[in-house]
């Protein structure tokens, strides 16, 4: 194995609104690495195969003095996220060459993970032969688990209930729609392009609309009231969902992308409906929800359904780490189509 | 029994902001009643002893075309609320002369409740000899039950937890403070006058402040994070409670008085904390929460504590139904001190 250029995506500037490629992050080729001799200190050398690009990463592109649930990226250092790679060399008893590992990955081609940082990994990962690694950054990984675990924990779903799913074409939303339909619910789903709306209909939504060209309030007034609201957007849509909620509605707060790039907040007119309609609103982080039953259901029911195509998904794959900046901007503006990931390397090259 | 004037409080005009005495409601003495001969049609004739005046009644002073959880008052007819009275005559097998009854009462001196309206009553009511009837419109009645039932259902209270109680001097808030202190929690409480703050300290709050003269954000930044937030006010205070919430905080949404007279809503900046801090927000109506265990605990633990003064309360009593308009305005502005009720009549006169 030769000396290689270890291309990296560096956090360069805190964005004001949407992140800007080449400004917020820059692709840097200054680092080289001798794959044979780089010091591992009891750790492992990993070749990055796939990196996940996720909306929540916007929250890490901030002034580190602001505290929130995820650490801020460090200016001048590589950004990071969820990744999957293959072990090239190992000095650890936990991992051997050829193992696939996943977890916290820097946005770079090769990861040297020292012994004391091995706990940032989530361990080894196996792939269903009919699913690509990219699926494991989405529906077969965290997004699918988010959908299943939170649905089971908070939805109290009954056949015939009406659920409104926002960002219905995304990896979480599309899984929620398919789980809800498999349980006999009526699904209203929104998405941001006509193409996404078509996909949402294909996977079973009873009512699907483009929220950029159709008035959400009109749809909810006609098709509500909502027994369950799956929130990926927050802001005005959350306020409208409160207005058109059924009594005892369950609001599952998965994300609020509408607020990530707008700090001034939203003028909420319908918060009193929380009381009037006895609504329960639950925020969560998927890691808190895993139980052995849910893990088992995911592995034994959801993964096989994805593998045989009974549950469908779409992927938005970027080839090449050098395009990460555009990808990160795209997911904040919602112009991606399906779960977004970056293919960084291949096992056979 | 003679012919009497049956003074009534009539809904006269839908208010824009705060209700105005003599305008929103008017006191009317046009109706007379022959107590001996008024036709009961199988129902009962009740002399009103006490009427409850409550913040939520603002929501009934509205255009009836707007749907919400309580019916709108009817222009030209008496307003109504929770009341307690004594039966003067009965043609019903359910009630006899001398019984005390409670439930839906018009704001008037005498109620003729026809047989088909008897279901609007909640039945007979007994008074602890050491508590006045007025207490049963508040701490010994719905307010106390609201505090206990919602606390038991949603608070998941652990000794050492920090709870922030808004409108801490009110009938619900003061009961929440005393229940929380009896369970070993640390209590932060707000109220709107220095006199109320003094009362809140007397009943055990560890930190008490006047939100009109002290910055709520400063207090919460020093004294938080909040494991439990008891919300009686909504709006900006709710937004700040989100900002200073602990992980897994429980928000109990009892009321949002700050919004009742301001329709434009509030610019919420911290809703994303619902997700970041895994917060659960629960709206409720007390009637949904009653279980036999909670009813028993209220009767056998809370009422005796109130009767012997172990749990304290303050009352704001209006003598005379003709002053109802001022009372209803006062409770919207928060210038009342303690649970507000109107003594309409006495048993011995």
């Amino acid at each position: 194995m030769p000396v290689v250029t270890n291309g990296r995506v560096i956090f360069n500037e805190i964005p004001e609104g949407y992140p800007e490629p080449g400004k917020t992050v820059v692709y840097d080729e200054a680092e080289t690495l001798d794959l044979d001799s780089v010091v591992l200190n009891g750790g492992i050398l990993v070749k990055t195969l796939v990196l996940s690009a996720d909306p929540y990463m916007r929250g890490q592109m901030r002034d580190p003095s602001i505290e929130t649930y995820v650490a801020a990226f460090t200016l001048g250092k590589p950004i990071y996220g969820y990744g999957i790679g293959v072990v090239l060399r190992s000095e650890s008893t936990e991992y051997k060459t050829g193992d696939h590992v996943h977890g916290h990955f820097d946005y770079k081609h090769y990861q040297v993970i020292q012994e004391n940082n091995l706990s940032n990994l989530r361990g080894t990962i196996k792939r269903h032969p009919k699913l690509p690694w990219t699926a494991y950054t989405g529906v077969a990984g965290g997004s699918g688990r988010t959908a299943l675990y939170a649905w089971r924990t908070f939805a109290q779903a009954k056949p015939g209930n009406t659920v409104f799913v926002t960002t219905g074409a995304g990896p979480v939303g599309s899984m929620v729609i398919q789980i809800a339909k498999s349980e006999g619910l009526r699904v209203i789903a929104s998405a941001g392009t006509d193409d996404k709306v078509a996909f949402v209909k294909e996977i079973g939504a009873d009512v699907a609309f483009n929220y950029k060209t159709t008035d959400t309030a009109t749809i909810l007034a006609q098709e509500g009231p909502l027994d369950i609201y799956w929130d990926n957007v927050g802001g005005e849509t959350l306020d409208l969902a409160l207005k058109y909620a059924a009594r005892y509605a369950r609001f599952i707060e998965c994300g609020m992308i509408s607020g990530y790039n707008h700090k001034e907040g939203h003028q909420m007119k319908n918060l009193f409906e929380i009381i009037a309609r006895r609504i329960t609103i639950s925020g969560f982080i998927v890691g808190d929800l895993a139980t052995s039953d849910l893990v088992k259901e995911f592995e034994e029911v959801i993964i096989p359904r994805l593998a045989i195509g009974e549950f469908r998904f779409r992927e938005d794959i970027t080839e090449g780490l050098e395009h990460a900046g555009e990808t990160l901007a795209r997911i904040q503006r919602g112009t991606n189509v399906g779960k977004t990931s970056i293919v960084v390397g291949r096992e056979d090259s």
Side-chain angles (χ1 to χ4, degrees), chain A residues 287-333:
Chain A
D288 292 341
L289 304 182
T291 64
S292 56
D293 280 356
L294 288 174
V295 170
K296 194 167 136 77
E297 181 178 358
F298 190 77
E299 303 287 353
E300 297 182 5
V301 179
I302 304 293
I303 293 284
R305 283 185 185 174
L306 287 165
I308 64 172
E310 189 180 319
F311 277 2
R312 294 179 52 200
F313 63 99
R314 292 212 295 189
E315 299 191 289
D316 185 313
I317 295 168
T318 300
E319 295 279 348
L321 186 57
E322 64 275 23
H323 302 301
E326 289 86 342
T327 303
L328 292 169
R330 237 150 25 88
I331 56 178
Q332 293 301 324
R333 295 186 182 273

Side-chain angles (χ1 to χ4, degrees), chain A residues 27-347:
Chain A
Y27 184 69
D28 174 89
E29 295 197 320
E31 185 175 284
T32 58
L33 202 64
D34 185 326
L35 298 180
D36 291 320
S37 66
V38 62
V39 176
L40 300 181
N41 283 331
I44 60 178
L45 171 65
V46 177
K47 181 181 181 184
T48 308
L49 299 177
V50 173
L51 292 168
S52 183
D54 295 288
Y56 78 85
M57 294 168 73
R58 176 65 183 83
Q60 302 180 274
M61 302 171 189
R62 68 168 195 278
D63 182 330
S65 69
I66 303 162
E67 271 190 57
T68 177
Y69 76 120
V70 283
F73 292 138
T74 305
L75 286 166
K77 299 264 186 183
I79 65 167
Y80 48 83
Y82 174 78
I84 300 168
V86 60
V87 177
L88 299 184
R89 284 171 51 210
S90 173
E91 294 178 358
S92 158
T93 52
E94 285 181 72
Y95 300 104
K96 59 181 191 299
T97 300
D99 276 355
H100 293 95
V101 295
H102 68 141
H104 178 105
F105 272 48
D106 281 346
Y107 263 49
K108 55 189 187 186
H109 283 267
Y110 297 91
Q111 322 272 331
V112 175
I113 306 173
Q114 311 268 357
E115 188 172 20
N116 56 353
N117 288 325
L118 286 176
S119 60
N120 289 335
L121 291 178
R122 300 190 197 173
T124 59
I125 180 171
K126 288 203 190 321
R127 186 169 65 82
H128 188 289
K130 292 195 170 168
L131 291 172
W133 280 124
T134 48
Y136 285 81
T137 71
V139 289
S143 308
R145 289 178 198 271
T146 297
L148 180 74
Y149 297 178
W151 184 260
R152 285 274 172 277
T153 308
F154 302 115
Q156 298 172 46
K158 291 169 203 75
N161 273 181
T162 295
V163 56
F164 173 35
V165 183
T166 50
T167 67
V172 176
S174 64
M175 290 297 283
V176 172
I177 291 170
Q178 294 177 90
I179 293 168
K181 285 310 299 175
S182 75
E183 296 180 355
L185 280 82
R186 190 163 151 274
V187 175
I188 307 166
S190 62
T193 68
D194 290 346
D195 173 67
K196 290 180 183 178
V197 168
F199 175 65
V200 159
K201 279 187 185 157
E202 278 170 39
I203 61 173
D206 301 278
V207 178
F209 67 99
N210 181 339
Y211 70 87
K212 290 180 180 164
T213 57
T214 305
D215 181 46
T216 301
T218 306
I219 295 287
L220 297 185
Q222 281 168 9
E223 305 291 343
L226 313 173
D227 299 297
I228 303 166
Y229 172 53
W230 186 285
D231 193 8
N232 280 317
V233 298
E236 186 184 357
T237 312
L238 171 57
D239 205 25
L240 287 172
L242 287 166
K243 185 170 178 182
Y244 295 106
R247 279 195 180 177
Y248 308 105
R250 288 79 69 192
F251 278 42
I252 304 175
E253 294 302 323
C254 182
M256 295 193 183
I257 196 167
S258 72
Y260 298 173
N261 300 290
H262 304 284
K263 285 189 188 162
E264 70 278 16
H266 182 74
Q267 188 83 4
M268 297 291 287
K269 296 197 179 111
N270 300 303
L271 286 171
F272 184 68
E273 299 303 335
I274 296 171
I275 298 173
R277 301 177 197 244
R278 300 86 150 149
I279 296 168
T280 302
I281 301 178
S282 302
F284 69 96
I285 301 284
V286 64
D288 292 341
L289 304 182
T291 64
S292 56
D293 280 356
L294 288 174
V295 170
K296 194 167 136 77
E297 181 178 358
F298 190 77
E299 303 287 353
E300 297 182 5
V301 179
I302 304 293
I303 293 284
R305 283 185 185 174
L306 287 165
I308 64 172
E310 189 180 319
F311 277 2
R312 294 179 52 200
F313 63 99
R314 292 212 295 189
E315 299 191 289
D316 185 313
I317 295 168
T318 300
E319 295 279 348
L321 186 57
E322 64 275 23
H323 302 301
E326 289 86 342
T327 303
L328 292 169
R330 237 150 25 88
I331 56 178
Q332 293 301 324
R333 295 186 182 273
T335 53
N336 58 309
V337 175
K339 175 63 180 79
T340 304
S341 57
I342 302 165
V343 174
V344 180
R346 308 225 175 249
E347 297 198 59

